[in-house]
Amino acid sequence: MRLVLIGLVAGFFSALFGVGGGIVIVPLLLLLCSWEARAATATSLAAIGVTAVSGVIAYAIHGDVNVAYAALVGLPAAASVAGATAVQQRLRTRTIELLFAVFLLGVAVWLFVK
């Protein structure tokens, strides 16, 4: 049931703000389900694929998808996944969690001062 609720929250925030994967799913899996960071990250990435397809279809119906720009962002992002995964596998779980917390704080500060 927790996973279904996490999916609902992630889908809602994904459609509303364009976020839902790492920023929503990973912290909720860590906090509510007591998952290990690597498993939470991997599960989040898998869930993002499903969420992204659904979101693209919904936004495409409204004419809001620019495929060329999506490719300019998405293809390099996909290419960098292998490198980032290799780095993550070499880090301690606590280090991953702290780096993620710093990232979220940085995003929050940026949004407040922007």
Side-chain angles (χ1 to χ4, degrees), residues 24-104:
V24 175
I25 295 174
V26 171
L28 292 178
L29 289 174
L30 294 173
L31 296 171
L32 300 180
C33 299
S34 301
W35 283 26
E36 192 265 337
R38 285 184 182 86
T41 302
T43 301
S44 173
L45 287 171
I48 289 168
V50 177
T51 305
V53 169
S54 175
V56 166
I57 291 168
Y59 278 104
I61 290 169
H62 295 284
D64 295 325
V65 176
N66 185 320
V67 176
Y69 289 160
L72 285 172
V73 173
L75 293 174
S80 68
V81 167
T85 301
V87 169
Q88 189 217 42
Q89 294 299 310
R90 289 174 173 78
L91 297 174
R92 290 187 1 239
T93 299
R94 184 68 179 149
T95 303
I96 296 166
E97 293 169 350
L98 291 173
L99 288 171
F100 187 67
V102 168
F103 170 74
L104 290 178

Side-chain angles (χ1 to χ4, degrees), residues 1-17 19-21 24-25 28-29 32 47 50-51 54:
M1 186 60 164
R2 288 181 187 171
L3 296 177
V4 172
L5 291 173
I6 290 170
L8 289 170
V9 170
F12 180 80
F13 283 115
S14 180
L16 189 62
F17 300 125
V19 300
V24 175
I25 295 174
L28 292 178
L29 289 174
L32 300 180
V50 177
T51 305
S54 175

